[in-house]
Amino acid sequence: MARFTLPRDIYYGKGALETLKTLKGHRAMVVVGGGSMKRFGFLDQAVNYLKEAGMEVQLFENVEPDPSVETVMRGAKAMQEFQPDWIVAMGGGSPIDAAKAMWVFYEYPDTSFEDLITPFSFPELRQKAKFLAIPSTSGTATEVTAFSVITDYHKGIKYPLADFNITPDVALVDPALAETMPQKLTAHTGMDALTHAIEAYVSTMNSPFTDPLALKAIHMVFDYLPDSYNGDKNAREQMHYAQCLAGMAFSNALLGIVHSMAHKTGAAFSTGHIPHGCANAIYLPYVIQYNAKDETAKKRYADIARSVDIAGSTDDELVAGLCKKIDEYNVKLNIPKTLKEFGINEDEFKEKVATIAEAAVGDACTGSNPRAITPAEMEKLLTCTYYGTKVEF
């Protein structure tokens, strides 16, 4: 038996934010990031709509990119004091992911962060509050997923927390919020969405329920991401929907080692943080080369290639064409091809790669990757992504 879980309600299109007026409740805690939602007026709109619904509203602001365990605990404490019956998270993936984790500690104060690291081990939520998510970026799709990524900066590790309990009750997918994304963020989040859809399609947990969502998302990203990157408003809207479809797919089919690698390298190097979507974009072609050594995975990558009109008479040619297309998009979007080009110090990479490889193999996303991988193989794969060498093992 398998399971397929989505939010109960997804409101989409311009003006979806107004749905906040219709919520039934007494107190709403609004969790936001560093200021763009306030700067563009969306935070004030949300607060006013919630007040129109008769709610008392409290803000938890300044959730940092790649939220920390400490931020989660501070937010949970604020919730325990305010006692909201709605948690409303708005912004990029970071405030929404943080709010999901806060929700658990709000309802279960005695839980430890270590208790949540094991996938699908969360206690039963909705004892005190429901959850509504409003994305402002077109990539993470955390508004429809069972995932939250929280960083332990003391260990330099991102933890993907996974449980259907943290799938939001309501998602408001309003493209007006995505129109404000800067160009680089549009590139990174768009390639994150593409990675979600491709990994979901080849995952060992793929299903007839997730495949159509993944394929449609892939088509839409290839169709609309370049124009979205260049500021076209219609393309921005379509990308906002594409990333949501990709999220519905991967929340149920799970992911693979592109994400394992991104989680474990994002905060690992002293030369600077690697943005999650950028890391995914760099790693994706190399992981496709690695996974395509598995015949079942190769056929599914070939299916993707055919569906987006990539030419090729054999599955190998189709897979190579898919990697080439991704490489071409990375060039269009000014995303580096290698970790070396990104700026990671070579000596530090060599010093840390074995430890990172072991951690990546142990990541929650590795279990649903279509081809098994050992720490030694992961180290070789990461080395390919550093120098830009072809994956031939």
Side-chain angles (χ1 to χ4, degrees), residues 368-382:
S368 45
N369 193 67
R371 183 183 171 196
I373 191 163
T374 65
E377 288 168 333
M378 179 63 81
E379 185 173 346
K380 286 167 70 176
L381 182 56
L382 283 162

Side-chain angles (χ1 to χ4, degrees), residues 51 56 70 74 83 111 114 150 211 240 243 255 257 261 319 329 339 344:
K51 287 180 177 176
E56 185 183 348
E70 289 78 12
R74 281 194 299 107
Q83 292 288 304
T111 300
E114 287 66 32
I150 305 298
D211 284 353
H240 213 40
Q243 64 88 32
L255 292 164
I257 59 172
M261 294 159 71
V319 172
Y329 269 60
L339 287 179
I344 303 302

Side-chain angles (χ1 to χ4, degrees), residues 208-225:
F209 293 89
T210 59
D211 284 353
L213 294 164
L215 285 176
K216 180 64 175 176
I218 292 165
H219 294 177
M220 292 177 75
V221 172
F222 280 137
D223 285 345
Y224 293 109
L225 181 53

Side-chain angles (χ1 to χ4, degrees), residues 11 23 27 38 58 72 101 125 127 152-153 192 224 243 263 268 271 288-289 301 306 317 322 324 335 338 348 355 378:
Y11 296 89
L23 293 191
R27 284 180 298 281
K38 180 183 283 187
Q58 184 169 306
V72 167
L125 294 179
Q127 310 302 309
D152 184 331
Y153 285 95
D192 191 20
Y224 293 109
Q243 64 88 32
H263 291 151
T271 42
I288 291 174
Q289 291 173 35
Y301 287 126
R306 284 189 204 94
E317 288 178 5
L322 179 61
K324 183 182 177 189
I335 291 171
T338 66
E348 187 180 10
T355 303
M378 179 63 81

Side-chain angles (χ1 to χ4, degrees), residues 296-317:
T296 301
K298 184 196 293 184
K299 284 181 168 49
R300 291 188 72 80
Y301 287 126
D303 286 345
I304 292 171
R306 284 189 204 94
S307 77
V308 293
D309 299 322
I310 289 170
S313 56
T314 66
D315 285 353
D316 286 325
E317 288 178 5

